[in-house]
PDB file of all heavy atoms in Angstrom:
ATOM      1  N   ARG M 107    -115.797-234.202  36.884  1.00 76.00           N
ATOM      2  CA  ARG M 107    -115.503-233.315  35.755  1.00 76.00           C
ATOM      3  C   ARG M 107    -114.015-233.233  35.464  1.00 76.00           C
ATOM      4  O   ARG M 107    -113.612-232.867  34.365  1.00 76.00           O
ATOM      5  CB  ARG M 107    -116.071-231.912  36.039  1.00 76.00           C
ATOM      6  CG  ARG M 107    -117.579-231.854  35.978  1.00 76.00           C
ATOM      7  CD  ARG M 107    -118.080-230.416  35.991  1.00 76.00           C
ATOM      8  NE  ARG M 107    -117.703-229.721  37.210  1.00 76.00           N
ATOM      9  CZ  ARG M 107    -118.403-229.749  38.338  1.00 76.00           C
ATOM     10  NH1 ARG M 107    -119.514-230.462  38.404  1.00 76.00           N
ATOM     11  NH2 ARG M 107    -118.021-229.089  39.400  1.00 76.00           N
ATOM     12  N   SER M 150    -129.399-223.945  43.558  1.00 86.00           N
ATOM     13  CA  SER M 150    -128.737-224.573  42.422  1.00 86.00           C
ATOM     14  C   SER M 150    -128.062-223.519  41.577  1.00 86.00           C
ATOM     15  O   SER M 150    -128.406-222.329  41.639  1.00 86.00           O
ATOM     16  CB  SER M 150    -129.726-225.383  41.580  1.00 86.00           C
ATOM     17  OG  SER M 150    -130.744-224.545  41.081  1.00 86.00           O
ATOM     18  N   MET M 151    -127.088-223.945  40.809  1.00 77.00           N
ATOM     19  CA  MET M 151    -126.339-223.047  39.946  1.00 77.00           C
ATOM     20  C   MET M 151    -126.026-223.777  38.658  1.00 77.00           C
ATOM     21  O   MET M 151    -126.109-225.015  38.584  1.00 77.00           O
ATOM     22  CB  MET M 151    -125.054-222.579  40.631  1.00 77.00           C
ATOM     23  CG  MET M 151    -124.050-223.692  40.882  1.00 77.00           C
ATOM     24  SD  MET M 151    -122.675-223.205  41.940  1.00 77.00           S
ATOM     25  CE  MET M 151    -123.443-223.422  43.555  1.00 77.00           C
ATOM     26  N   TYR M 152    -125.656-223.027  37.635  1.00 72.00           N
ATOM     27  CA  TYR M 152    -125.335-223.627  36.349  1.00 72.00           C
ATOM     28  C   TYR M 152    -123.880-223.369  35.979  1.00 72.00           C
ATOM     29  O   TYR M 152    -123.355-222.279  36.214  1.00 72.00           O
ATOM     30  CB  TYR M 152    -126.234-223.062  35.246  1.00 72.00           C
ATOM     31  CG  TYR M 152    -127.614-223.674  35.231  1.00 72.00           C
ATOM     32  CD1 TYR M 152    -128.639-223.123  35.997  1.00 72.00           C
ATOM     33  CD2 TYR M 152    -127.880-224.805  34.472  1.00 72.00           C
ATOM     34  CE1 TYR M 152    -129.899-223.689  35.993  1.00 72.00           C
ATOM     35  CE2 TYR M 152    -129.143-225.376  34.460  1.00 72.00           C
ATOM     36  CZ  TYR M 152    -130.147-224.815  35.218  1.00 72.00           C
ATOM     37  OH  TYR M 152    -131.396-225.377  35.218  1.00 72.00           O
ATOM     38  N   PHE M 153    -123.253-224.421  35.410  1.00 70.00           N
ATOM     39  CA  PHE M 153    -121.934-224.288  34.807  1.00 70.00           C
ATOM     40  C   PHE M 153    -122.078-224.588  33.323  1.00 70.00           C
ATOM     41  O   PHE M 153    -122.781-225.519  32.924  1.00 70.00           O
ATOM     42  CB  PHE M 153    -120.934-225.259  35.437  1.00 70.00           C
ATOM     43  CG  PHE M 153    -120.572-224.917  36.857  1.00 70.00           C
ATOM     44  CD1 PHE M 153    -121.154-225.590  37.931  1.00 70.00           C
ATOM     45  CD2 PHE M 153    -119.659-223.910  37.123  1.00 70.00           C
ATOM     46  CE1 PHE M 153    -120.824-225.276  39.232  1.00 70.00           C
ATOM     47  CE2 PHE M 153    -119.320-223.596  38.435  1.00 70.00           C
ATOM     48  CZ  PHE M 153    -119.906-224.264  39.486  1.00 70.00           C
ATOM     49  N   HIS M 154    -121.409-223.781  32.517  1.00 65.00           N
ATOM     50  CA  HIS M 154    -121.432-223.987  31.069  1.00 65.00           C
ATOM     51  C   HIS M 154    -122.862-224.020  30.531  1.00 65.00           C
ATOM     52  O   HIS M 154    -123.142-224.691  29.542  1.00 65.00           O
ATOM     53  CB  HIS M 154    -120.694-225.262  30.687  1.00 65.00           C
ATOM     54  CG  HIS M 154    -119.295-225.329  31.227  1.00 65.00           C
ATOM     55  ND1 HIS M 154    -118.317-224.407  30.892  1.00 65.00           N
ATOM     56  CD2 HIS M 154    -118.720-226.195  32.087  1.00 65.00           C
ATOM     57  CE1 HIS M 154    -117.200-224.720  31.532  1.00 65.00           C
ATOM     58  NE2 HIS M 154    -117.418-225.789  32.260  1.00 65.00           N
ATOM     59  N   SER M 155    -123.756-223.328  31.172  1.00 60.00           N
ATOM     60  CA  SER M 155    -125.148-223.092  30.770  1.00 60.00           C
ATOM     61  C   SER M 155    -126.044-224.320  30.796  1.00 60.00           C
ATOM     62  O   SER M 155    -127.268-224.188  30.833  1.00 60.00           O
ATOM     63  CB  SER M 155    -125.209-222.450  29.371  1.00 60.00           C
ATOM     64  OG  SER M 155    -124.933-223.397  28.358  1.00 60.00           O
ATOM     65  N   ASN M 156    -125.487-225.527  30.794  1.00 63.00           N
ATOM     66  CA  ASN M 156    -126.346-226.707  30.737  1.00 63.00           C
ATOM     67  C   ASN M 156    -126.086-227.726  31.841  1.00 63.00           C
ATOM     68  O   ASN M 156    -126.663-228.808  31.839  1.00 63.00           O
ATOM     69  CB  ASN M 156    -126.196-227.403  29.375  1.00 63.00           C
ATOM     70  CG  ASN M 156    -124.809-227.992  29.182  1.00 63.00           C
ATOM     71  OD1 ASN M 156    -123.851-227.510  29.770  1.00 63.00           O
ATOM     72  ND2 ASN M 156    -124.710-229.014  28.341  1.00 63.00           N
ATOM     73  N   VAL M 157    -125.215-227.407  32.786  1.00 68.00           N
ATOM     74  CA  VAL M 157    -124.919-228.323  33.883  1.00 68.00           C
ATOM     75  C   VAL M 157    -125.415-227.699  35.183  1.00 68.00           C
ATOM     76  O   VAL M 157    -124.863-226.712  35.660  1.00 68.00           O
ATOM     77  CB  VAL M 157    -123.410-228.627  33.979  1.00 68.00           C
ATOM     78  CG1 VAL M 157    -123.139-229.556  35.156  1.00 68.00           C
ATOM     79  CG2 VAL M 157    -122.906-229.246  32.684  1.00 68.00           C
ATOM     80  N   GLU M 158    -126.467-228.272  35.737  1.00 72.00           N
ATOM     81  CA  GLU M 158    -127.018-227.766  36.985  1.00 72.00           C
ATOM     82  C   GLU M 158    -126.389-228.500  38.165  1.00 72.00           C
ATOM     83  O   GLU M 158    -126.358-229.738  38.185  1.00 72.00           O
ATOM     84  CB  GLU M 158    -128.533-227.938  37.027  1.00 72.00           C
ATOM     85  CG  GLU M 158    -129.154-227.297  38.268  1.00 72.00           C
ATOM     86  CD  GLU M 158    -130.672-227.405  38.285  1.00 72.00           C
ATOM     87  OE1 GLU M 158    -131.208-228.289  37.570  1.00 72.00           O
ATOM     88  OE2 GLU M 158    -131.307-226.625  38.984  1.00 72.00           O
ATOM     89  N   VAL M 159    -125.888-227.752  39.121  1.00 84.00           N
ATOM     90  CA  VAL M 159    -125.240-228.319  40.306  1.00 84.00           C
ATOM     91  C   VAL M 159    -126.009-227.868  41.537  1.00 84.00           C
ATOM     92  O   VAL M 159    -126.285-226.686  41.708  1.00 84.00           O
ATOM     93  CB  VAL M 159    -123.770-227.868  40.402  1.00 84.00           C
ATOM     94  CG1 VAL M 159    -123.134-228.410  41.674  1.00 84.00           C
ATOM     95  CG2 VAL M 159    -122.984-228.346  39.184  1.00 84.00           C
ATOM     96  N   HIS M 160    -126.339-228.820  42.386  1.00 89.00           N
ATOM     97  CA  HIS M 160    -127.073-228.514  43.606  1.00 89.00           C
ATOM     98  C   HIS M 160    -126.112-228.129  44.726  1.00 89.00           C
ATOM     99  O   HIS M 160    -125.029-228.694  44.847  1.00 89.00           O
ATOM    100  CB  HIS M 160    -127.922-229.710  44.014  1.00 89.00           C
ATOM    101  CG  HIS M 160    -128.996-230.013  43.025  1.00 89.00           C
ATOM    102  ND1 HIS M 160    -130.180-229.309  42.982  1.00 89.00           N
ATOM    103  CD2 HIS M 160    -129.055-230.910  42.019  1.00 89.00           C
ATOM    104  CE1 HIS M 160    -130.935-229.771  42.007  1.00 89.00           C
ATOM    105  NE2 HIS M 160    -130.273-230.737  41.406  1.00 89.00           N
ATOM    106  N   GLY M 171    -121.351-229.570  43.955  1.00 87.00           N
ATOM    107  CA  GLY M 171    -120.606-230.393  43.008  1.00 87.00           C
ATOM    108  C   GLY M 171    -120.757-231.881  43.265  1.00 87.00           C
ATOM    109  O   GLY M 171    -121.829-232.366  43.642  1.00 87.00           O
ATOM    110  N   TYR M 218    -119.962-238.450  36.063  1.00 49.00           N
ATOM    111  CA  TYR M 218    -120.796-237.503  36.797  1.00 49.00           C
ATOM    112  C   TYR M 218    -121.202-236.366  35.878  1.00 49.00           C
ATOM    113  O   TYR M 218    -122.346-235.930  35.870  1.00 49.00           O
ATOM    114  CB  TYR M 218    -120.005-236.989  37.999  1.00 49.00           C
ATOM    115  CG  TYR M 218    -120.486-235.682  38.578  1.00 49.00           C
ATOM    116  CD1 TYR M 218    -121.715-235.605  39.213  1.00 49.00           C
ATOM    117  CD2 TYR M 218    -119.701-234.542  38.504  1.00 49.00           C
ATOM    118  CE1 TYR M 218    -122.153-234.401  39.757  1.00 49.00           C
ATOM    119  CE2 TYR M 218    -120.123-233.359  39.042  1.00 49.00           C
ATOM    120  CZ  TYR M 218    -121.344-233.284  39.663  1.00 49.00           C
ATOM    121  OH  TYR M 218    -121.772-232.095  40.192  1.00 49.00           O
ATOM    122  N   SER M 219    -120.278-235.869  35.072  1.00 47.00           N
ATOM    123  CA  SER M 219    -120.591-234.770  34.159  1.00 47.00           C
ATOM    124  C   SER M 219    -121.697-235.168  33.194  1.00 47.00           C
ATOM    125  O   SER M 219    -122.602-234.386  32.911  1.00 47.00           O
ATOM    126  CB  SER M 219    -119.344-234.352  33.374  1.00 47.00           C
ATOM    127  OG  SER M 219    -118.394-233.773  34.222  1.00 47.00           O
ATOM    128  N   ALA M 220    -121.631-236.394  32.670  1.00 45.00           N
ATOM    129  CA  ALA M 220    -122.690-236.848  31.775  1.00 45.00           C
ATOM    130  C   ALA M 220    -124.022-236.899  32.497  1.00 45.00           C
ATOM    131  O   ALA M 220    -125.057-236.527  31.946  1.00 45.00           O
ATOM    132  CB  ALA M 220    -122.335-238.229  31.213  1.00 45.00           C
ATOM    133  N   MET M 221    -124.010-237.343  33.750  1.00 46.00           N
ATOM    134  CA  MET M 221    -125.257-237.435  34.508  1.00 46.00           C
ATOM    135  C   MET M 221    -125.838-236.062  34.808  1.00 46.00           C
ATOM    136  O   MET M 221    -127.032-235.843  34.697  1.00 46.00           O
ATOM    137  CB  MET M 221    -125.022-238.220  35.799  1.00 46.00           C
ATOM    138  CG  MET M 221    -124.943-239.723  35.577  1.00 46.00           C
ATOM    139  SD  MET M 221    -124.907-240.672  37.102  1.00 46.00           S
ATOM    140  CE  MET M 221    -123.180-240.579  37.515  1.00 46.00           C
ATOM    141  N   VAL M 222    -124.991-235.104  35.195  1.00 46.00           N
ATOM    142  CA  VAL M 222    -125.523-233.797  35.542  1.00 46.00           C
ATOM    143  C   VAL M 222    -125.982-233.042  34.309  1.00 46.00           C
ATOM    144  O   VAL M 222    -126.913-232.256  34.364  1.00 46.00           O
ATOM    145  CB  VAL M 222    -124.512-232.939  36.336  1.00 46.00           C
ATOM    146  CG1 VAL M 222    -124.186-233.576  37.668  1.00 46.00           C
ATOM    147  CG2 VAL M 222    -123.261-232.655  35.533  1.00 46.00           C
ATOM    148  N   GLN M 223    -125.363-233.296  33.171  1.00 44.00           N
ATOM    149  CA  GLN M 223    -125.797-232.632  31.955  1.00 44.00           C
ATOM    150  C   GLN M 223    -127.125-233.175  31.472  1.00 44.00           C
ATOM    151  O   GLN M 223    -128.033-232.437  31.134  1.00 44.00           O
ATOM    152  CB  GLN M 223    -124.751-232.791  30.849  1.00 44.00           C
ATOM    153  CG  GLN M 223    -123.530-231.918  31.068  1.00 44.00           C
ATOM    154  CD  GLN M 223    -122.461-232.187  30.028  1.00 44.00           C
ATOM    155  OE1 GLN M 223    -122.337-233.288  29.512  1.00 44.00           O
ATOM    156  NE2 GLN M 223    -121.675-231.177  29.712  1.00 44.00           N
ATOM    157  N   GLN M 224    -127.258-234.507  31.488  1.00 45.00           N
ATOM    158  CA  GLN M 224    -128.477-235.090  30.981  1.00 45.00           C
ATOM    159  C   GLN M 224    -129.606-235.002  31.993  1.00 45.00           C
ATOM    160  O   GLN M 224    -130.758-234.764  31.660  1.00 45.00           O
ATOM    161  CB  GLN M 224    -128.267-236.552  30.603  1.00 45.00           C
ATOM    162  CG  GLN M 224    -129.548-237.239  30.149  1.00 45.00           C
ATOM    163  CD  GLN M 224    -129.243-238.476  29.340  1.00 45.00           C
ATOM    164  OE1 GLN M 224    -128.197-238.591  28.733  1.00 45.00           O
ATOM    165  NE2 GLN M 224    -130.183-239.400  29.311  1.00 45.00           N
ATOM    166  N   ASN M 225    -129.252-235.204  33.275  1.00 43.00           N
ATOM    167  CA  ASN M 225    -130.280-235.314  34.297  1.00 43.00           C
ATOM    168  C   ASN M 225    -130.445-234.078  35.156  1.00 43.00           C
ATOM    169  O   ASN M 225    -131.243-234.062  36.078  1.00 43.00           O
ATOM    170  CB  ASN M 225    -129.974-236.516  35.201  1.00 43.00           C
ATOM    171  CG  ASN M 225    -130.039-237.818  34.447  1.00 43.00           C
ATOM    172  OD1 ASN M 225    -130.997-238.062  33.741  1.00 43.00           O
ATOM    173  ND2 ASN M 225    -129.006-238.641  34.550  1.00 43.00           N
ATOM    174  N   LYS M 226    -129.646-233.044  34.902  1.00 41.00           N
ATOM    175  CA  LYS M 226    -129.761-231.803  35.656  1.00 41.00           C
ATOM    176  C   LYS M 226    -129.573-232.014  37.136  1.00 41.00           C
ATOM    177  O   LYS M 226    -130.286-231.458  37.967  1.00 41.00           O
ATOM    178  CB  LYS M 226    -131.126-231.136  35.402  1.00 41.00           C
ATOM    179  CG  LYS M 226    -131.399-230.796  33.955  1.00 41.00           C
ATOM    180  CD  LYS M 226    -130.485-229.704  33.440  1.00 41.00           C
ATOM    181  CE  LYS M 226    -130.873-229.266  32.035  1.00 41.00           C
ATOM    182  NZ  LYS M 226    -129.958-228.293  31.471  1.00 41.00           N
ATOM    183  N   LEU M 227    -128.608-232.817  37.515  1.00 41.00           N
ATOM    184  CA  LEU M 227    -128.337-233.027  38.941  1.00 41.00           C
ATOM    185  C   LEU M 227    -126.977-232.426  39.270  1.00 41.00           C
ATOM    186  O   LEU M 227    -125.993-232.874  38.730  1.00 41.00           O
ATOM    187  CB  LEU M 227    -128.334-234.526  39.272  1.00 41.00           C
ATOM    188  CG  LEU M 227    -128.100-234.867  40.740  1.00 41.00           C
ATOM    189  CD1 LEU M 227    -129.165-234.268  41.630  1.00 41.00           C
ATOM    190  CD2 LEU M 227    -128.026-236.355  40.945  1.00 41.00           C
TER     191      LEU M 227
END
Side-chain angles (χ1 to χ4, degrees):
R107 289 191 298 274
S150 60
M151 65 190 83
Y152 281 89
F153 290 101
H154 306 299
S155 75
N156 66 334
V157 179
E158 185 177 20
V159 177
H160 295 280
Y218 159 68
S219 293
M221 283 188 277
V222 297
Q223 286 175 330
Q224 176 160 335
N225 296 311
K226 301 293 186 184
L227 182 60

